[in-house]
Amino acid sequence: MMSKLVAISFKDDATAFALRSDLAAMQADYLLALDDIVVVTKDEKGKPKLHQPVSLTGAGALSGGWWGTLIGFLFLAPLAGLVIGAGTGALAGKLTDIGIDDRFMRDVAASLEKDEAMVFVLVRDVTIDKVMDGLSAYRGKGRIHTTSLSRRVEDELRKLIEAA
């Protein structure tokens, strides 16, 4: 099944982060399967900032450090192995981009005003009626920017999120 993209903006970042949390809870309840979910805000200079739930740099450093230490023990240099492995893993994590393209998110989010935020969601599978019910707390609070949903589902979502 092909993943579907949805980008929704809100007047404040608290609502965007609340939506991310609610969608993660729905995923835990098996109502949807997320491939990626990112909140984008703007920093003091107006530059888009991506808030991704998993730091690939940190995960890479941890994994690389573990493997480096293990290899270091084999060659009687565990500290050197740790340092080299962590550095290599961090670099690999930073260069790895899974899910939604970072440049695409920054380009779309460039239109945000100062205190606004945007949520990008990549959904693989969804129980649409139950998820729409779960999104009722966001009625009238946001604006749909882009989706790859079917026209019918996009219209339903737009009516809910953008309701007057």
Side-chain angles (χ1 to χ4, degrees):
M1 174 175 262
M2 189 172 187
S3 295
K4 302 294 184 185
L5 174 72
V6 179
I8 306 170
S9 67
F10 296 99
K11 296 287 183 198
D12 62 281
D13 61 354
T15 306
F17 283 109
L19 175 61
R20 182 172 80 176
S21 177
D22 287 348
L23 289 173
M26 288 182 212
Q27 178 171 258
D29 290 338
Y30 302 102
L31 298 178
L32 72 160
L34 298 170
D35 285 334
D36 200 4
I37 185 164
V38 180
V39 175
V40 182
T41 59
K42 283 197 170 179
D43 63 17
E44 302 81 35
K45 297 176 183 174
K47 182 179 173 188
K49 180 175 169 110
L50 306 179
H51 303 272
Q52 298 179 342
V54 175
S55 167
L56 296 176
T57 303
L62 182 63
S63 173
W66 187 87
W67 283 107
T69 302
L70 180 64
I71 292 168
F73 272 122
L74 294 175
F75 294 102
L76 302 175
L79 186 58
L82 171 66
V83 171
I84 292 169
T88 305
L91 180 61
K94 185 160 182 64
L95 297 176
T96 302
D97 187 19
I98 57 171
I100 307 166
D101 182 66
D102 291 357
R103 181 177 293 137
F104 170 76
M105 288 187 286
R106 285 186 179 97
D107 289 346
V108 173
S111 65
L112 290 174
E113 297 297 320
K114 183 182 178 208
D115 293 324
E116 292 181 328
M118 190 173 284
V119 180
F120 289 85
V121 183
L122 195 58
V123 180
R124 183 178 50 251
D125 192 20
V126 63
T127 306
I128 195 67
D129 56 335
K130 292 183 179 182
V131 170
M132 292 294 261
D133 288 345
L135 296 177
S136 63
Y138 301 94
R139 182 177 306 281
K141 293 184 178 181
R143 194 177 105 213
I144 306 295
H145 281 267
T146 187
T147 79
S148 61
L149 300 169
S150 71
R151 190 171 307 278
R152 180 187 63 76
V153 174
E154 180 180 343
D155 288 344
E156 282 182 48
L157 184 62
R158 196 173 294 278
K159 285 178 190 172
L160 175 70
I161 298 296
E162 297 179 355

